[in-house]
């Protein structure tokens, strides 16, 4: 069905096609009954203190303002991440700012956090919230000076923690000038330390613990990644999301879109993301990793899990493969679990990781 539709969708400018897809998903969500939320199947995962029916989530940026959550939940995802939202609504960068590289199964975007603002998302989540874990990804407004960035993230935490199962601190969009500087050790410690205090205060006040995930870039040197991971090892976050889009340009051919500035996602990112996942896993074996970047099929998903991810997300794969990609990946993961003679994903991964490297370390996530 999507194969037949895709040529038509791809004749539209990418942002118009995306808007059409969101509207269709919203309409679908209104008529489609909520999906089963039973836990305990072969792909069930318990992580971040939350039960996931399966490990495959929707990555941030697809539904920034939470407009189509029911429809997206009905596609079979195990969780959804909305945002990035900023304290105040902002238009983002001038168009065009989203480009398809169809041959490479990739996108380049420089949207720049176009979003309706945190209060609008809070109102949406208050009004309609499907029964699966929802992560909320927060960022800073473009015109907030970098040395006041902490204020924006604290505002985001205060407004959205009441409606989020976990919050993601986005330090890694390449399209907000200076944002990635927040990944430098001192800045990261300051920001995450402040949010850690807000998290503790919320727990004291309401008894609710809202886990904090940190979303990192794929564009590090060995040293800069090690320095950030050393800060994260200080207990300032509950999960790492690896990775956001890349500003590098691994072999993209010579089409005009390949030269566009912005963040590259999709197939050319797969290996780079996996490399980062594996380095985070080695450095922080006790912190759950949400693996994202270039997942286009079940094998990509499986390899991200083997590299150390406990949960997964995708975005660009959905644009090229359509909504059928979600059940296809889930079926492929179930096959791999059973092929290894195991009953559930956790056991299958432990066995497969053991086989891969006798030095592989335990992860605190329970499946
Ligand atoms: C059009 C577009 C918009 C995105 N917007 C956001 C965003 O607002 N916040 C964020 O953390 N990541 C954003 N991302 C990054 C994705 O969440 C994901 O990390 C990245 O695309 C790699 O995954 P993929 O290869 O499956 O797309 C965006 C990606 C795309 C393609």
């Amino acid at each position: 069905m999507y194969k037949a539709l895709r040529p038509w969708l791809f004749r539209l400018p990418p942002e118009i096609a995306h808007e059409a897809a969101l509207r269709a998903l919203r309409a679908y969500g209104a008529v489609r009954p909520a999906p089963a939320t039973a836990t305990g199947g072969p792909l069930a995962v318990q992580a971040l203190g939350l039960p996931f029916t399966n490990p495959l989530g929707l990555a941030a940026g697809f539904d920034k303002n939470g407009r189509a959550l029911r429809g997206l939940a009905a596609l079979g995802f195990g969780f959804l991440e909305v945002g990035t939202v900023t304290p105040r609504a902002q238009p983002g960068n001038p168009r065009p700012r989203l480009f398809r590289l169809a041959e490479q199964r990739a996108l380049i975007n420089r949207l720049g956090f176009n979003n309706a603002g945190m209060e609008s998302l809070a109102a949406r989540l208050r009004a309609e919230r499907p029964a699966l874990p929802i992560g909320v990804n927060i960022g800073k407004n473009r015109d907030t000076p970098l040395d006041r960035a902490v204020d924006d993230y604290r505002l985001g935490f205060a407004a959205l923690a009441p409606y989020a199962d976990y919050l993601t601190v986005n330090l890694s969009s390449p399209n907000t000038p200076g944002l990635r500087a927040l990944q430098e050790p001192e800045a990261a410690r300051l920001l995450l330390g402040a949010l850690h205090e807000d998290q503790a205060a919320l727990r004291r006040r309401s008894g609710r613990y809202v886990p904090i995930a940190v979303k990192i870039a794929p564009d590090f040197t060995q040293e800069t990644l090690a320095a950030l991971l050393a800060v994260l090892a200080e207990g300032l976050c509950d999960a790492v999301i690896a990775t956001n889009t890349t500003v590098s340009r691994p072999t993209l051919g010579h089409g005009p879109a390949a030269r566009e500035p912005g963040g590259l996602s999709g197939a050319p990112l797969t290996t780079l993301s996996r490399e980062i996942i594996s380095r985070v896993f080695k450095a922080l074996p006790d912190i759950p990793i949400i693996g994202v970047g270039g997942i286009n099929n079940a094998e990509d998903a499986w390899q991200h899990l083997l590299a150390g991810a406990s949960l997964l997300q995708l975005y660009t794969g959905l644009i090229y493969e359509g909504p059928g990609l979600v059940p296809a990946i889930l079926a492929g993961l179930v096959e791999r679990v059973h092929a290894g003679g195991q009953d559930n994903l956790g056991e299958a991964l432990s066995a497969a990781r053991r086989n891969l490297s006798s030095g592989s370390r335990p992860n605190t996530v329970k499946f």
Side-chain angles (χ1 to χ4, degrees), residues 30-347:
V31 295
R32 176 78 163 62
T37 52
T39 49
L43 298 183
V45 181
Q46 177 82 21
L48 296 165
L50 302 166
F52 295 81
T53 54
N54 73 67
L56 186 60
L58 177 76
F62 191 96
D63 190 4
K64 289 175 191 274
N65 300 309
R67 293 167 52 201
L69 296 180
R70 289 212 181 109
L72 285 161
L75 300 186
F77 283 113
F79 65 110
L80 305 172
E81 189 167 311
V82 294
T84 299
V85 287
T86 51
R88 286 166 284 117
Q90 61 178 29
N93 289 323
R95 298 185 192 207
R97 53 193 183 175
L98 177 58
F99 307 88
R100 294 186 197 100
L101 290 84
E103 242 170 71
Q104 289 79 21
R105 291 199 137 34
L107 296 171
I108 289 177
N109 93 80
R110 52 169 180 271
L111 296 177
F113 291 167
N114 53 314
N115 77 98
M118 64 186 191
E119 290 303 343
S120 153
L121 179 60
R124 276 241 163 75
L125 292 175
R126 249 194 315 270
E128 47 179 288
R129 212 176 168 298
L132 79 176
I134 305 278
V136 178
N137 183 310
I138 54 175
K140 74 177 262 305
N141 277 111
R142 185 189 171 94
D143 59 5
T144 300
L146 208 57
D147 60 2
R148 306 292 300 272
V150 177
D151 299 347
D152 275 13
Y153 286 92
R154 295 186 83 168
L155 286 169
F157 184 92
L160 289 158
Y163 311 104
D165 290 302
Y166 70 88
L167 271 164
T168 298
V169 180
N170 184 358
L171 304 183
S172 49
S173 165
N175 302 314
T176 294
L179 192 84
R180 285 184 170 189
L182 298 173
Q183 295 180 128
E184 288 165 18
E186 275 320 303
R189 187 177 287 114
L190 189 80
L191 172 59
L192 296 175
L195 292 173
H196 194 62
E197 280 174 22
D198 291 348
Q199 184 187 42
L202 176 68
R203 183 191 236 171
R204 279 195 301 277
R205 259 197 333 270
S206 71
R208 249 191 104 224
Y209 184 79
V210 182
I212 292 180
V214 175
K215 185 160 178 179
I216 67 173
D219 306 313
F220 286 100
T221 62
Q222 298 271 358
E223 294 73 28
T224 52
L225 179 59
L228 173 61
L229 296 180
V231 174
L232 301 186
E234 293 167 17
L236 295 177
C237 73
D238 302 281
V240 174
I241 305 186
T243 67
N244 213 314
T245 56
T246 179
V247 293
S248 71
R249 291 291 181 266
T251 56
L252 287 186
H254 300 290
R259 285 190 295 275
E260 293 291 345
L264 171 71
S265 59
L269 179 59
T270 318
T271 317
L272 186 54
S273 283
R274 191 168 301 145
E275 175 67 30
I276 301 284
I277 292 167
S278 136
R279 284 166 59 189
V280 176
F281 185 54
K282 285 199 183 89
L284 306 172
D286 295 332
I287 297 187
I289 299 166
I290 302 179
V292 49
I295 297 178
N296 228 18
N297 52 47
E299 184 57 21
D300 292 338
W302 180 244
Q303 292 300 332
H304 271 26
L305 290 167
L306 285 183
S310 304
L311 296 167
L312 303 167
Q313 290 177 333
L314 55 82
Y315 184 145
T316 307
L318 209 54
I319 307 297
Y320 288 102
E321 304 300 327
L325 181 60
V326 178
I329 288 178
L330 297 179
L333 291 178
V334 171
E335 254 170 46
R336 283 162 179 76
V337 168
H338 291 154
Q342 311 287 346
D343 293 329
N344 69 62
L345 183 63
E347 286 166 13

